[in-house]
Amino acid sequence: MGRRRHLADAAGALPEAIAALSRSLPAGPSPEIFRRAKFDRPEAAPALWRLLFRVLSLLRADRASASRAPEAQARWVKAALRAQGYPRLGLARLPEDGSQGSRELLLALAWLLAREPLPERLLAQTRVRLGDEMPVCECGALASPGQPAPRVDTAGPVDVRRLQWLMGKLRFRWRNLMASQQEQCALLGKIHAYTRGCHGDRSLGHLSVAETELLRDPEGGRQLLQRLESENARLEAALEWRRRELVFWQWMDTVLGACPPEASQPTFPPRLRGRGRRAGAWGPVAWELQALQEELQAAVGARRAAWAARVGGQGPEWSAARQAAQEAVGRELAALRQAWARGGGRAQPHRPHRLVRTEAGGPGGPGLRAAEVIGVLRSREACLEEMLCQLQEQCRQQLARLAGALPGLIWIPPPRR
Amino acid sequence: MLPLGCSRRLVAELQDALDTCAERQRQLEQSLRVSRRLLRAWEPAETPTPEPTPGPETNEEAPSPACTPSPQDLKELELLTQALQKAVHVRKGISKAGERDNASSLKSGSIATSATTAAAPHRASQTKLPRGTRQATRPAKGLPKPRLLSAGDQTCAGRGPLAAKPGPGLRDPQKAPSAAPQAPEAFTLKEKGLWAQLSSTQTSDSMDATTSSKTQFLQKMQVTSGWPSSRLSAAEVEAEVGRLQKACSLLRLRMEEELTRDPTDWMQEYRGLLTLEGLQAIVGQCLHRLRELQAEESGKEVPGCHPRRPHSTVLTEVVEQQLGPWPEERPPMASLPCGGGADPTWSPQLLLYSSTQELQTLAALRLRVDMLDQQIHLEKVLMAELLPLVSMQEPLGAPQLALCRAVHSLLCEGGQRFLTILRDEPAD
């Protein structure tokens, strides 16, 4: 009897856990879908495709993929999972029309869930923010780290003048951005100043744009309330999921067990491997590292020679000093390595901060001061300008070398600013 | 004309940069529209109220005369706020000890224990809110002065919709107390409480059984899959290349620093030498790692780790058909959104500024840094593609010279200035 009750409890716990998971995710399907997916029922597939698409596109902050046909979505999901290292081939073999494969999709979802706290991360991304926020971290908002998406509309080869035109257009857009940004700051400053004294929270003191609008516009207020309520519901669901998820993982073990093991791929003959991979993809980094290496080689060579000429007749205190120097330099370089090591850059505040206007002389409470951030940004700006100048100088030298090789021409550089 | 592949890549890069700027501009304009609309109600200020307004504003702007509440009203509102807070506190009981209030006014401190009880009343009293806000939006000449009640340090106050203009607004506080005790329920949002709970569950170690079952599951997945597990995923490779890129910049900076330093004694000279040698070793290691990654990725059997820019040849297609059905399309590695960073459940932190000037400087610098980042990226890409073109060819023909001139302008002057090339005719 006790065992029956225990089983009944367990039987009830699983649907509840899945329901909680579903509520905490956007576009979460019903627990029934999950159950069907375990048995690989075809009708469960479309909902799971949609869910995976939604989750992955949120994770990657990919706006462009919002409006795609289901087949295109399925393809995108496959590619995105593969890029993250999803191990199973079964997913790749699924048809993209959503007609089957729900068990495989369920496994993919579980894989994503096991790797990181997915509901929390999605919630943090879509968090309702009430303040006027400004990012403080070093992530460049404009420079995209990866390769740009290939465009289908570039017809054929272009003339260099088109490139010049595009650069000009880009410069114009930069100027526009700067002007708009200045205007926005002026307006924000005014709103913050005008609403001073209106906020219940003394540490803030004034309203943000969102809050002002909230008060002005009852409709907006209702909508905001709704958004906050739904966020709350999802937060509660996420908490419940965390409490109950163990039974889900036990269940997923059975799901995985129900799958036939995949045949491992025969390894392809090595002949086709060197596919003439364009150096373009690796180009910039390899090129820079090589250039750096050459420069270092030259510098080290010169210094070594100079040092060898000096070293001579050093006393016994020399070796002790040398040891000390080696250790010191070793420590410095180790610290330098930390700067780019995995997770090395976390010291910086990584989240957007809420802007708060305060009196200049006030002691102020917790929070970053704008003056500090400005200082950091100025040094970073100087650093980047330096880097850009160096790059341009490198180009100039290289082109000058070329010019030297072409006799009979006079090259008149433009006047320096 | 530039070669086909080169053209495509460069146009793609530039177009990408343009699109990013356009997106940013769009977002800015959206915010601008909202801000302008909000400010329209305040400026031009119509009937300035007759009361003296000893506002704390500085003289940098011309504040509208009605934009600060008079001291008396402030005091009354203060008292009212305290009364409301006390009422809600008594009503709700003590919330979780040590719960610090934070940024947003709309958060309440009510938490775990009263989570479910608060849910019911707040739904019922939702209707009270619009009335309150309508009061706030009544002829809003001058500033609406609603007092947003925030959670005190430990109370569970919600929000009181109080609109009080100096003068006629005084009857509102009397009406408001009746609405207020319910209205706070409307805003018993528990937002901060829930986020805090979520973060504590994440960091707690009591999840051993769950964590181990998750790891087991992942391992089983790996084992039963048909894929050899020793490879790095594309995302990881990209991340590592990014790190190597960063390493390169930092190493270069250090080298520059060292080279410009003038050693004053032999010890410094020795240290400089050691540093440079150490840097050289590190660069060598980075290059080695890069080559490893390169070899691994091109040695991968699958189209799954296809090239960064799909470059389809017949050979590629044959290989794909034979090896596996992974789709050709590869989602571009969008930069990870910055908002949900390391610890998503921190409450928002503050950035304090003291004048519009300062804010503008801050924003301008941020934008400038982003633009420089973009410019440097483009510069590197252009260098990688265009320099080989100019150096490769020998002829002195006009098209080649025109290309040289254009490349010089793009690479060395940011496309803004041009050099002049003259043919040196011997004087007859």
Side-chain angles (χ1 to χ4, degrees), chain A residues 126-169:
Chain A
T126 52
R127 187 169 182 167
V128 174
R129 297 177 195 278
L130 289 168
D132 297 317
E133 310 231 325
M134 178 170 283
V136 173
C137 56
E138 302 220 340
C139 311
L142 287 181
S144 53
Q147 308 298 325
R151 278 148 209 288
V152 288
D153 54 337
T154 47
V158 300
D159 192 70
V160 72
R161 280 172 294 181
R162 181 159 172 90
L163 296 181
Q164 291 173 319
W165 180 73
L166 286 172
M167 275 296 276
K169 202 167 156 185

Short mmCIF file of all heavy atoms in Angstrom, two decimals, chain A residues 126-169:
data_model
loop_
_atom_site.label_atom_id
_atom_site.label_comp_id
_atom_site.label_asym_id
_atom_site.label_seq_id
_atom_site.Cartn_x
_atom_site.Cartn_y
_atom_site.Cartn_z
N THR A 126 15.04 38.21 -20.81
CA THR A 126 13.82 38.92 -21.15
C THR A 126 13.28 39.68 -19.96
O THR A 126 12.10 39.99 -19.90
CB THR A 126 12.75 37.93 -21.63
OG1 THR A 126 12.64 36.91 -20.64
CG2 THR A 126 13.15 37.31 -22.93
N ARG A 127 14.14 39.97 -19.04
CA ARG A 127 13.71 40.61 -17.82
C ARG A 127 13.10 41.97 -18.07
O ARG A 127 13.61 42.75 -18.87
CB ARG A 127 14.93 40.77 -16.93
CG ARG A 127 14.61 41.24 -15.57
CD ARG A 127 15.82 41.11 -14.70
NE ARG A 127 15.50 41.53 -13.36
CZ ARG A 127 16.27 41.30 -12.33
NH1 ARG A 127 17.40 40.66 -12.50
NH2 ARG A 127 15.93 41.71 -11.14
N VAL A 128 12.03 42.24 -17.36
CA VAL A 128 11.39 43.55 -17.48
C VAL A 128 12.25 44.57 -16.74
O VAL A 128 12.52 44.44 -15.56
CB VAL A 128 9.98 43.52 -16.86
CG1 VAL A 128 9.38 44.90 -16.87
CG2 VAL A 128 9.11 42.55 -17.60
N ARG A 129 12.68 45.55 -17.45
CA ARG A 129 13.55 46.54 -16.81
C ARG A 129 12.83 47.86 -16.68
O ARG A 129 12.26 48.37 -17.63
CB ARG A 129 14.80 46.75 -17.66
CG ARG A 129 15.60 45.49 -17.77
CD ARG A 129 16.80 45.67 -18.66
NE ARG A 129 17.34 44.39 -19.03
CZ ARG A 129 18.15 43.67 -18.27
NH1 ARG A 129 18.51 44.12 -17.11
NH2 ARG A 129 18.60 42.52 -18.68
N LEU A 130 12.89 48.38 -15.52
CA LEU A 130 12.15 49.61 -15.27
C LEU A 130 13.01 50.85 -15.37
O LEU A 130 12.50 51.94 -15.51
CB LEU A 130 11.52 49.55 -13.88
CG LEU A 130 10.38 48.55 -13.80
CD1 LEU A 130 10.00 48.33 -12.37
CD2 LEU A 130 9.20 49.08 -14.58
N GLY A 131 14.30 50.68 -15.27
CA GLY A 131 15.14 51.87 -15.25
C GLY A 131 15.67 52.19 -16.62
O GLY A 131 15.54 51.43 -17.57
N ASP A 132 16.30 53.32 -16.73
CA ASP A 132 17.02 53.66 -17.94
C ASP A 132 18.39 53.04 -17.81
O ASP A 132 19.16 53.41 -16.94
CB ASP A 132 17.17 55.18 -18.08
CG ASP A 132 15.83 55.85 -18.21
OD1 ASP A 132 15.00 55.31 -18.96
OD2 ASP A 132 15.61 56.86 -17.55
N GLU A 133 18.68 52.13 -18.69
CA GLU A 133 19.89 51.35 -18.47
C GLU A 133 20.97 51.69 -19.47
O GLU A 133 20.70 52.05 -20.61
CB GLU A 133 19.54 49.87 -18.58
CG GLU A 133 18.35 49.51 -17.72
CD GLU A 133 18.62 48.35 -16.83
OE1 GLU A 133 19.35 47.46 -17.27
OE2 GLU A 133 18.11 48.32 -15.71
N MET A 134 22.17 51.58 -18.98
CA MET A 134 23.30 51.77 -19.87
C MET A 134 24.30 50.66 -19.60
O MET A 134 24.69 50.45 -18.46
CB MET A 134 23.93 53.14 -19.58
CG MET A 134 25.15 53.38 -20.43
SD MET A 134 25.75 55.05 -20.35
CE MET A 134 24.61 55.89 -21.38
N PRO A 135 24.70 49.96 -20.63
CA PRO A 135 25.68 48.90 -20.41
C PRO A 135 27.04 49.48 -20.05
O PRO A 135 27.43 50.53 -20.56
CB PRO A 135 25.75 48.18 -21.76
CG PRO A 135 24.76 48.81 -22.63
CD PRO A 135 24.28 50.07 -22.01
N VAL A 136 27.72 48.78 -19.18
CA VAL A 136 28.99 49.29 -18.70
C VAL A 136 30.14 48.39 -19.13
O VAL A 136 31.29 48.75 -19.05
CB VAL A 136 28.94 49.40 -17.15
CG1 VAL A 136 30.28 49.75 -16.58
CG2 VAL A 136 27.95 50.47 -16.77
N CYS A 137 29.81 47.24 -19.62
CA CYS A 137 30.87 46.27 -19.86
C CYS A 137 31.59 46.56 -21.16
O CYS A 137 31.27 47.48 -21.88
CB CYS A 137 30.26 44.88 -19.92
SG CYS A 137 28.99 44.81 -21.15
N GLU A 138 32.55 45.71 -21.45
CA GLU A 138 33.40 45.99 -22.60
C GLU A 138 32.93 45.33 -23.87
O GLU A 138 33.61 45.40 -24.88
CB GLU A 138 34.80 45.46 -22.28
CG GLU A 138 35.39 46.06 -21.05
CD GLU A 138 36.86 46.34 -21.25
OE1 GLU A 138 37.44 45.72 -22.15
OE2 GLU A 138 37.40 47.16 -20.52
N CYS A 139 31.80 44.68 -23.83
CA CYS A 139 31.36 44.02 -25.05
C CYS A 139 31.04 45.07 -26.09
O CYS A 139 30.21 45.92 -25.87
CB CYS A 139 30.10 43.20 -24.80
SG CYS A 139 30.24 42.15 -23.38
N GLY A 140 31.67 44.99 -27.20
CA GLY A 140 31.41 45.97 -28.23
C GLY A 140 30.04 45.73 -28.83
O GLY A 140 29.73 44.66 -29.29
N ALA A 141 29.24 46.73 -28.80
CA ALA A 141 27.90 46.53 -29.34
C ALA A 141 27.89 46.59 -30.84
O ALA A 141 27.01 46.07 -31.49
CB ALA A 141 26.97 47.58 -28.77
N LEU A 142 28.86 47.27 -31.42
CA LEU A 142 28.82 47.45 -32.85
C LEU A 142 29.66 46.42 -33.59
O LEU A 142 29.32 46.00 -34.68
CB LEU A 142 29.32 48.84 -33.23
CG LEU A 142 28.36 49.99 -32.90
CD1 LEU A 142 28.97 51.29 -33.35
CD2 LEU A 142 27.05 49.78 -33.59
N ALA A 143 30.75 46.03 -33.00
CA ALA A 143 31.63 45.11 -33.74
C ALA A 143 31.17 43.70 -33.50
O ALA A 143 31.10 43.23 -32.37
CB ALA A 143 33.06 45.29 -33.26
N SER A 144 30.87 43.01 -34.52
CA SER A 144 30.44 41.62 -34.34
C SER A 144 31.65 40.72 -34.37
O SER A 144 32.50 40.84 -35.23
CB SER A 144 29.47 41.23 -35.46
OG SER A 144 30.05 41.51 -36.70
N PRO A 145 31.73 39.83 -33.41
CA PRO A 145 32.95 39.04 -33.29
C PRO A 145 33.10 37.99 -34.38
O PRO A 145 34.19 37.71 -34.82
CB PRO A 145 32.79 38.36 -31.93
CG PRO A 145 31.34 38.34 -31.68
CD PRO A 145 30.78 39.55 -32.35
N GLY A 146 32.00 37.43 -34.83
CA GLY A 146 32.14 36.33 -35.77
C GLY A 146 32.14 36.84 -37.20
O GLY A 146 32.29 38.02 -37.47
N GLN A 147 31.93 35.95 -38.07
CA GLN A 147 31.88 36.33 -39.47
C GLN A 147 30.48 36.82 -39.80
O GLN A 147 29.52 36.36 -39.22
CB GLN A 147 32.20 35.13 -40.35
CG GLN A 147 33.48 34.43 -39.96
CD GLN A 147 34.66 35.34 -40.10
OE1 GLN A 147 34.71 36.15 -40.99
NE2 GLN A 147 35.61 35.21 -39.20
N PRO A 148 30.37 37.74 -40.70
CA PRO A 148 29.03 38.23 -41.04
C PRO A 148 28.25 37.18 -41.80
O PRO A 148 28.83 36.30 -42.43
CB PRO A 148 29.31 39.44 -41.93
CG PRO A 148 30.64 39.16 -42.51
CD PRO A 148 31.41 38.40 -41.49
N ALA A 149 26.97 37.28 -41.72
CA ALA A 149 26.14 36.33 -42.43
C ALA A 149 26.33 36.51 -43.92
O ALA A 149 26.36 37.63 -44.41
CB ALA A 149 24.67 36.56 -42.07
N PRO A 150 26.47 35.45 -44.63
CA PRO A 150 26.67 35.60 -46.07
C PRO A 150 25.41 36.13 -46.72
O PRO A 150 24.31 35.79 -46.32
CB PRO A 150 26.96 34.16 -46.53
CG PRO A 150 26.36 33.31 -45.49
CD PRO A 150 26.44 34.06 -44.21
N ARG A 151 25.61 37.00 -47.62
CA ARG A 151 24.46 37.59 -48.28
C ARG A 151 24.19 36.96 -49.60
O ARG A 151 25.09 36.64 -50.34
CB ARG A 151 24.74 39.08 -48.51
CG ARG A 151 24.45 39.81 -47.28
CD ARG A 151 25.32 40.98 -47.11
NE ARG A 151 25.45 41.18 -45.70
CZ ARG A 151 24.45 41.64 -44.94
NH1 ARG A 151 23.32 41.98 -45.47
NH2 ARG A 151 24.61 41.77 -43.65
N VAL A 152 22.93 36.81 -49.90
CA VAL A 152 22.61 36.18 -51.17
C VAL A 152 22.52 37.21 -52.29
O VAL A 152 22.46 36.86 -53.44
CB VAL A 152 21.29 35.41 -51.09
CG1 VAL A 152 21.46 34.18 -50.28
CG2 VAL A 152 20.21 36.29 -50.48
N ASP A 153 22.48 38.46 -51.95
CA ASP A 153 22.19 39.43 -53.01
C ASP A 153 23.44 40.00 -53.67
O ASP A 153 23.34 40.73 -54.64
CB ASP A 153 21.35 40.57 -52.45
CG ASP A 153 22.04 41.18 -51.23
OD1 ASP A 153 22.85 40.48 -50.61
OD2 ASP A 153 21.76 42.34 -50.93
N THR A 154 24.60 39.71 -53.15
CA THR A 154 25.79 40.25 -53.82
C THR A 154 25.96 39.52 -55.13
O THR A 154 26.22 38.32 -55.17
CB THR A 154 27.04 40.04 -52.96
OG1 THR A 154 27.05 38.69 -52.52
CG2 THR A 154 27.02 40.96 -51.78
N ALA A 155 25.85 40.25 -56.18
CA ALA A 155 25.83 39.59 -57.48
C ALA A 155 27.23 39.16 -57.86
O ALA A 155 27.59 38.00 -57.75
CB ALA A 155 25.25 40.54 -58.51
N GLY A 156 28.01 40.12 -58.30
CA GLY A 156 29.29 39.71 -58.84
C GLY A 156 30.40 40.52 -58.22
O GLY A 156 30.24 41.11 -57.16
N PRO A 157 31.51 40.54 -58.87
CA PRO A 157 32.63 41.31 -58.36
C PRO A 157 32.31 42.81 -58.39
O PRO A 157 31.59 43.27 -59.26
CB PRO A 157 33.77 40.98 -59.33
CG PRO A 157 33.11 40.51 -60.55
CD PRO A 157 31.84 39.86 -60.14
N VAL A 158 32.82 43.50 -57.44
CA VAL A 158 32.53 44.92 -57.35
C VAL A 158 33.81 45.71 -57.54
O VAL A 158 34.92 45.19 -57.42
CB VAL A 158 31.90 45.30 -56.00
CG1 VAL A 158 30.61 44.57 -55.79
CG2 VAL A 158 32.87 45.01 -54.90
N ASP A 159 33.62 46.96 -57.81
CA ASP A 159 34.75 47.84 -57.96
C ASP A 159 35.12 48.39 -56.58
O ASP A 159 34.27 48.45 -55.69
CB ASP A 159 34.37 48.98 -58.91
CG ASP A 159 35.58 49.78 -59.34
OD1 ASP A 159 36.39 49.23 -60.12
OD2 ASP A 159 35.72 50.92 -58.86
N VAL A 160 36.34 48.82 -56.46
CA VAL A 160 36.75 49.32 -55.16
C VAL A 160 36.01 50.59 -54.79
O VAL A 160 35.88 50.93 -53.61
CB VAL A 160 38.29 49.53 -55.16
CG1 VAL A 160 38.68 50.71 -56.00
CG2 VAL A 160 38.80 49.69 -53.75
N ARG A 161 35.48 51.25 -55.79
CA ARG A 161 34.74 52.47 -55.48
C ARG A 161 33.48 52.18 -54.70
O ARG A 161 33.02 52.99 -53.90
CB ARG A 161 34.38 53.24 -56.76
CG ARG A 161 35.55 54.04 -57.26
CD ARG A 161 35.29 54.63 -58.60
NE ARG A 161 35.15 53.60 -59.62
CZ ARG A 161 34.93 53.86 -60.89
NH1 ARG A 161 34.81 55.11 -61.30
NH2 ARG A 161 34.81 52.88 -61.76
N ARG A 162 32.92 50.99 -54.91
CA ARG A 162 31.75 50.63 -54.11
C ARG A 162 32.14 50.50 -52.65
O ARG A 162 31.40 50.92 -51.75
CB ARG A 162 31.15 49.32 -54.61
CG ARG A 162 29.94 48.98 -53.81
CD ARG A 162 29.04 48.02 -54.54
NE ARG A 162 27.98 47.57 -53.64
CZ ARG A 162 26.82 48.19 -53.50
NH1 ARG A 162 26.58 49.27 -54.20
NH2 ARG A 162 25.91 47.73 -52.67
N LEU A 163 33.31 49.94 -52.43
CA LEU A 163 33.77 49.84 -51.06
C LEU A 163 33.95 51.22 -50.44
O LEU A 163 33.59 51.45 -49.28
CB LEU A 163 35.11 49.09 -51.00
CG LEU A 163 35.09 47.64 -51.43
CD1 LEU A 163 36.47 47.05 -51.30
CD2 LEU A 163 34.12 46.84 -50.61
N GLN A 164 34.49 52.14 -51.23
CA GLN A 164 34.68 53.49 -50.72
C GLN A 164 33.33 54.11 -50.39
O GLN A 164 33.16 54.78 -49.36
CB GLN A 164 35.41 54.35 -51.75
CG GLN A 164 36.85 53.94 -51.94
CD GLN A 164 37.48 54.69 -53.09
OE1 GLN A 164 36.88 54.90 -54.13
NE2 GLN A 164 38.72 55.08 -52.89
N TRP A 165 32.39 53.86 -51.24
CA TRP A 165 31.05 54.41 -51.01
C TRP A 165 30.43 53.85 -49.73
O TRP A 165 29.85 54.57 -48.92
CB TRP A 165 30.17 54.10 -52.22
CG TRP A 165 28.80 54.62 -52.10
CD1 TRP A 165 28.38 55.91 -52.18
CD2 TRP A 165 27.63 53.83 -51.87
NE1 TRP A 165 27.03 55.98 -52.03
CE2 TRP A 165 26.54 54.71 -51.84
CE3 TRP A 165 27.39 52.47 -51.70
CZ2 TRP A 165 25.23 54.29 -51.63
CZ3 TRP A 165 26.09 52.05 -51.50
CH2 TRP A 165 25.04 52.96 -51.46
N LEU A 166 30.61 52.54 -49.55
CA LEU A 166 30.06 51.91 -48.34
C LEU A 166 30.73 52.46 -47.09
O LEU A 166 30.07 52.70 -46.08
CB LEU A 166 30.24 50.39 -48.41
CG LEU A 166 29.30 49.66 -49.36
CD1 LEU A 166 29.70 48.20 -49.49
CD2 LEU A 166 27.86 49.75 -48.90
N MET A 167 32.03 52.69 -47.17
CA MET A 167 32.72 53.27 -46.03
C MET A 167 32.18 54.66 -45.72
O MET A 167 32.01 55.03 -44.56
CB MET A 167 34.23 53.39 -46.29
CG MET A 167 35.02 52.17 -45.99
SD MET A 167 35.01 51.72 -44.26
CE MET A 167 36.30 52.75 -43.64
N GLY A 168 31.96 55.43 -46.77
CA GLY A 168 31.43 56.77 -46.56
C GLY A 168 30.05 56.72 -45.90
O GLY A 168 29.75 57.48 -44.98
N LYS A 169 29.26 55.79 -46.38
CA LYS A 169 27.92 55.63 -45.80
C LYS A 169 28.03 55.26 -44.32
O LYS A 169 27.29 55.76 -43.47
CB LYS A 169 27.23 54.52 -46.57
CG LYS A 169 25.74 54.53 -46.49
CD LYS A 169 25.19 53.59 -47.56
CE LYS A 169 23.80 53.10 -47.19
NZ LYS A 169 23.30 52.11 -48.11
#
